[in-house]
């Protein structure tokens, strides 16, 4: 196990923030890819049976069979569950997005990420990557411009990502777009609109904006970004809390404790007592799986992420491994958890990072993003 940061900070705070920002985004992609093979495995025992004897310990390909899959129940013409196949063409899945992959949706126990290879990222992590690229190109955020880029990326043929599944938010957005709604008003409301997947693409946006803008402005732009695909007022409170937490972790003095910051962020979900959870003796599965559901709903998944970050903020590999093997909504939890433990520690595991598919290209894009928003000072170069 080889965990590394960039060179130790000895001068400007910019170098420390650059190290933390790189670790945050590196771990975002690691956390997603590590969990991809067992994404939405709701029985942790199934993970152990599929990947004996200790579950996922490194990058793995998606297995052929998914014991918890309900992909066959998810609508291919709109968000949420329902009939697969539209009354009239085109169908959202297969004709508009995920072209040529519609046939993979109706099979019992079909894997959500069918055929994906070890180290490949799911669609939502690619979404974050596209935001990172957009911010590097433009230097600022414009919702109208971004939604055009999102539509272009999602409808590209051939696809620019390897995934076979699109969350409810994506399907609902394109169903509304096909119905003639304005592209900035296509966010669909379903039972899972306030979900962890909404937060995955926020980090490369927020961290870029935090380099030059005040906190309130960054929160406003991040809310506008999330609202495009996840229009839910309660979720916006978590977005605000997430942005504050990223800002605090990014700016805090080296060596300062993260626990109070994480406890404050978690408390946006009423009744969450993070410090008590961190010190309970019954283990991680008591919190992530019993106290809080393994599902995507933000009222459970946000406290779960904050809990795991508080437990393992100084050990990203352990944090992301534990998250993966707890199961459920682990891929999107893993992306957000990765962001937090990266900011908290300034570390990422170079072995896992190097095992990401297309890592050299990703690393180049991440470096371009860093050079734009967190450029190295002359002192740190020397």
């Amino acid at each position: 196990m080889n965990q590394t940061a960039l060179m130790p900070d000895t001068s400007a705070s910019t170098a420390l923030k650059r190290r933390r920002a790189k670790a945050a985004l590196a771990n975002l992609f690691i956390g997603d890819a590590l969990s991809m093979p067992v994404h939405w495995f709701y029985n942790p025992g199934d993970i152990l049976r599929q990947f004996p004897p200790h579950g996922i310990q490194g990058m793995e390909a998606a297995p052929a069979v998914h014991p918890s899959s309900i992909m066959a129940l998810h609508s291919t013409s709109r968000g949420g569950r329902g009939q697969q196949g539209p009354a009239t063409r085109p169908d959202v899945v297969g004709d508009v997005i995920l072209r040529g992959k519609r046939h993979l949706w109706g099979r019992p126990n079909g894997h959500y990420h069918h055929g994906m290879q070890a180290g490949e990222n799911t669609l939502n992590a690619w979404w974050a990557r596209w935001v990172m690229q957009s911010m590097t190109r433009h230097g600022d955020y414009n919702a109208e411009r971004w939604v055009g880029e999102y539509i272009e990326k999602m409808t590209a043929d051939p696809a620019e990502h390897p995934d076979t599944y699109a969350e409810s938010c994506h399907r609902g957005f394109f169903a509304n777009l096909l119905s003639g709604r304005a592209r900035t008003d296509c966010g669909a409301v379903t039972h899972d609109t306030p979900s962890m997947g909404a937060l995955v693409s926020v980090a490369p946006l927020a961290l870029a904006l935090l380099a030059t803008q005040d906190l309130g402005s960054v929160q406003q732009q991040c809310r506008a970004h999330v609202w495009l695909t996840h229009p839910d007022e309660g979720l916006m409170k978590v977005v605000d809390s997430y942005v504050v937490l990223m800002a605090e972790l990014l700016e805090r003095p080296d060596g300062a404790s993260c626990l109070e910051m994480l406890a404050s962020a978690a408390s946006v979900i009423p009744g969450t007592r993070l410090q008590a959870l961190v010190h309970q003796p019954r283990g991680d599965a008591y919190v992530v799986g019993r106290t809080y559901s393994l599902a995507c709903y933000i009222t459970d998944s946000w406290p779960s992420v904050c809990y795991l970050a508080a437990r393992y903020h100084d050990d990203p590999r352990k944090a992301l491994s534990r998250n993966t093997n707890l199961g459920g909504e682990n891929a999107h939890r893993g992306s957000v958890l990765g962001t937090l433990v990266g900011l908290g520690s300034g570390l990422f595991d170079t072995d896992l990072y190097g095992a990401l598919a297309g890592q050299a290209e990703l690393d180049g894009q991440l470096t371009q993003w860093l050079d734009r928003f967190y450029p190295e000072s002359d002192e740190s170069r020397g």
Side-chain angles (χ1 to χ4, degrees):
M1 297 182 185
N2 182 16
Q3 293 194 144
T4 187
L6 302 187
M7 292 300 292
D9 179 66
T10 58
S11 54
S13 61
T14 300
L16 178 58
K17 288 190 283 188
R18 179 183 173 98
R19 183 167 80 235
R20 288 171 173 168
K22 177 168 185 177
L25 295 192
N27 282 315
L28 183 158
F29 296 109
I30 291 169
D32 172 81
L34 194 67
S35 293
M36 175 275 291
V38 290
H39 192 194
W40 292 308
F41 274 46
Y42 278 99
N43 181 353
D46 288 333
I47 299 176
L48 297 177
R49 282 185 283 274
Q50 186 70 54
F51 296 96
H54 303 299
I56 297 277
Q57 299 299 314
M59 299 299 178
E60 301 279 358
V65 175
H66 190 304
S68 306
S69 177
I70 56 170
M71 191 174 172
L73 302 180
H74 292 179
S75 174
T76 59
S77 60
R78 58 179 175 80
R81 300 174 189 171
Q83 179 181 353
Q84 294 201 347
T88 59
R89 289 289 180 185
D91 198 354
V92 170
V93 172
D95 295 332
V96 181
I97 64 174
L98 302 176
R99 297 192 184 193
K101 298 179 179 179
R102 164 68 181 80
H103 66 286
L104 299 170
W105 280 60
R107 304 172 307 148
N109 296 115
H111 200 290
Y112 293 89
H113 310 299
H114 174 83
M116 287 178 61
Q117 300 303 302
E120 289 191 321
N121 281 119
T122 72
L123 174 56
N124 279 26
W126 275 91
W127 193 12
R129 185 168 173 173
W130 295 334
V131 171
M132 182 178 73
Q133 293 171 306
S134 180
M135 292 301 295
T136 302
R137 184 181 312 116
H138 301 294
D140 64 354
Y141 182 77
N142 176 281
E144 175 74 30
R145 182 182 64 214
W146 161 251
V147 79
E149 294 177 349
Y150 166 73
I151 292 168
E152 180 181 357
K153 293 288 189 182
M154 289 291 292
T155 59
D157 188 16
E160 296 190 17
H161 64 86
D163 212 344
T164 57
Y165 183 72
E167 275 201 299
S168 183
C169 66
H170 303 295
R171 290 177 278 126
F173 178 96
F174 282 95
N176 286 335
L177 187 66
L178 287 174
S179 74
R181 284 170 60 169
R183 61 186 186 174
T184 54
D185 187 36
C186 284
V189 177
T190 64
H191 71 285
D192 54 2
T193 297
S195 64
M196 179 53 61
L199 301 185
V200 173
S201 68
V202 173
L205 172 60
L207 292 172
L209 296 173
L210 285 168
T212 58
Q213 298 187 26
D214 66 88
L215 180 61
S217 176
V218 176
Q219 288 177 308
Q220 182 180 22
Q221 291 173 83
C222 289
R223 285 196 302 267
H225 174 71
V226 174
W227 191 269
L228 289 169
T229 49
H230 293 78
D232 182 88
E233 290 290 352
L235 179 61
M236 295 303 108
K237 296 178 182 178
V238 180
V239 172
D240 280 346
S241 183
Y242 185 32
V243 173
V244 169
L245 180 56
M246 283 190 280
E248 290 177 339
L249 293 173
L250 181 69
E251 297 283 352
R252 82 191 194 289
D254 203 8
S257 172
C258 303
L259 184 56
E260 287 189 9
M261 300 173 187
L262 288 160
S264 177
S267 69
V268 72
I269 302 300
T272 303
R273 297 183 297 165
L274 188 67
Q275 297 199 31
L277 292 173
V278 168
H279 293 104
Q280 59 80 28
R282 285 167 283 195
D284 295 336
Y286 176 78
V287 177
V288 186
R290 293 192 64 184
T291 306
Y292 295 105
S293 166
L294 291 170
C296 65
Y297 309 111
I298 202 69
T299 50
D300 292 274
S301 53
W302 177 243
S304 295
V305 162
C306 292
Y307 164 79
L308 290 170
R311 282 292 307 272
Y312 304 112
H313 62 87
D314 59 348
D315 190 343
R317 182 172 187 131
K318 189 171 185 179
L320 298 177
S321 177
R322 289 296 298 139
N323 170 71
T324 290
N325 289 296
L326 286 165
E329 174 58 298
N330 48 10
H332 301 150
R333 270 198 334 254
S335 289
V336 177
L337 175 63
T339 297
L340 296 180
V341 296
L343 289 171
S345 67
L347 302 172
F348 62 94
D349 188 279
T350 55
D351 291 338
L352 292 176
Y353 186 56
L356 289 171
Q359 186 271 343
E361 182 179 7
L362 172 62
D363 189 62
Q365 292 169 353
L366 177 49
T367 299
Q368 290 176 345
W369 180 91
L370 287 165
D371 288 345
R372 176 133 201 179
F373 298 104
Y374 296 92
E376 293 181 289
S377 64
D378 292 338
E379 292 86 353
S380 65
R381 290 192 188 98

